[in-house]
Amino acid sequence: MVKFKLDNRFMFFMSLVVGNWKMNFGIGESVRLVQEIVDKLNSKNEVAVCPPFVSLSAVADVVKGSIELGAQNIYQEESGAFTGEVSASMVKEVGCKYVIIGHSERRKYFDEDEFLNMKLQLAMKHSLVPIFCVGEGLEERSVGKQNDIVEGQLIKGLEGLKFTHEELVIAYEPVWAIGTGKTASANEAEEMHAFIRKVLKDNGFDSKVKLLYGGSVKPGNSIELMSQKNIDGSLVGGAALNAKDFLSIIN
Ligand code: PGA
């Protein structure tokens, strides 16, 4: 979708649609899915897929620059005795442009909050573009604390970092909307995205970074969400596992 946006001046704007495959698909299924996406893609929007680590190399061979590749995580150290972990330089070498940092599932199951600033620093050092995820839980929203939570996550994660708007993407993913079928309304999402830009600006960061919405994005709700002024694209989980749905969101 090409969106006509009014910022300081009129401009055409390309959305970014990212598929987060989570822990789904080994090499065979990954290659089949990405091949179908590449074959049927008919859009000027930027598209990226984030398969599991073991499938990255095979998917890189298929996409060959037609769509971008992202990793779902990196470790917070450069290299060394960290059995089972994968480094920023490794995912860069395999061909990734993007890396998801701070997904709520990693914050929750792997207690990653303390390491996200280090991960962001390392990603940027290796010229990866982090897709930094922030978002409040249901309880926090029900007592009106969503802005405080998201602001806290942004300030803690981005502390000391220097970046231009091309070197970072932020994804707002309300935890209560991930994988639940519940989506933030377009108004709720737009309000939070505008707030995120304000927090970036107030803290001296480049506020023109792309802001993605994530959380039960589907073909049926993506147009309304993506047409909001401050929503520059989407981070898609479940619907990215199916070529037809993912292509419909992209196109
Ligand atoms: P969902 O996942 O689209 O399945 O809600 C989004 C995400 O976790 O990034």
Side-chain angles (χ1 to χ4, degrees):
M1 177 178 49
V2 178
K3 186 162 48 170
F4 200 51
K5 270 197 146 181
L6 183 63
D7 287 336
N8 293 329
R9 58 203 166 90
F10 286 103
M11 60 194 247
F12 281 103
F13 184 86
M14 237 72 88
S15 293
L16 168 62
V17 182
V18 181
N20 173 14
W21 295 359
K22 308 194 180 183
M23 199 175 72
N24 294 290
F25 301 154
I27 294 171
E29 280 178 297
S30 294
V31 165
R32 267 194 294 281
L33 175 59
V34 81
Q35 188 71 63
E36 189 176 350
I37 294 166
V38 168
D39 289 348
K40 295 183 180 163
L41 193 67
N42 178 24
S43 168
K44 291 204 162 54
N45 287 328
E46 185 182 349
V47 178
V49 292
C50 304
F53 287 129
V54 293
S55 301
L56 282 171
S57 178
V59 170
D61 286 344
V62 176
V63 297
K64 291 198 184 79
S66 58
I67 64 174
E68 300 292 348
L69 195 59
Q72 296 177 19
N73 183 33
I74 49 168
Y75 194 58
Q76 63 267 18
E77 300 286 345
E78 287 275 8
S79 65
F82 301 103
T83 302
E85 294 300 327
V86 174
S87 72
S89 64
M90 292 172 192
V91 304
K92 182 70 188 177
E93 187 184 347
V94 79
C96 289
K97 172 176 178 181
Y98 294 105
V99 57
I100 300 173
I101 303 280
H103 190 281
S104 67
E105 285 149 18
R106 299 228 40 109
R107 290 179 189 260
K108 179 175 165 198
Y109 301 126
F110 304 95
D111 273 337
E112 284 201 342
D113 279 11
E114 298 312 314
F115 307 113
L116 299 180
N117 182 260
M118 290 164 80
K119 288 181 185 230
L120 287 166
Q121 281 186 43
L122 266 180
M124 287 177 182
K125 182 176 165 203
H126 289 274
S127 304
L128 292 159
V129 178
I131 300 172
F132 179 42
C133 300
V134 295
E136 80 286 355
L138 185 56
E139 229 168 80
E140 293 151 351
R141 179 162 280 265
S142 66
V143 292
K145 286 243 180 314
Q146 64 272 20
N147 287 11
D148 294 347
I149 296 295
V150 169
E151 182 169 18
Q153 290 171 338
L154 287 169
I155 287 171
K156 186 171 173 180
L158 300 180
E159 195 189 341
L161 297 182
K162 296 219 171 342
F163 54 86
T164 68
H165 62 276
E166 285 172 350
E167 293 167 332
L168 178 77
V169 171
I170 293 175
Y172 169 58
E173 297 206 308
V175 179
W176 47 272
I178 296 177
T180 58
K182 288 186 200 138
T183 324
S185 70
N187 279 348
E188 284 170 333
E190 168 59 20
E191 231 172 63
M192 182 58 85
H193 282 229
F195 176 70
I196 291 172
R197 279 206 210 283
K198 182 179 178 310
V199 172
L200 291 173
K201 194 156 177 242
D202 291 351
N203 287 277
F205 296 114
D206 189 336
S207 62
K208 293 194 296 298
V209 295
K210 281 199 174 102
L211 301 184
L212 311 184
Y213 170 79
S216 297
V217 174
K218 303 271 183 278
N221 59 24
S222 64
I223 291 183
E224 200 192 351
L225 286 160
M226 294 319 114
S227 56
Q228 301 301 310
K229 179 172 184 276
N230 286 291
I231 301 184
D232 304 318
S234 52
L235 180 54
V236 187
L241 299 177
N242 170 302
K244 192 164 166 265
D245 287 352
F246 192 53
L247 284 160
S248 148
I249 290 168
I250 298 164
N251 294 335

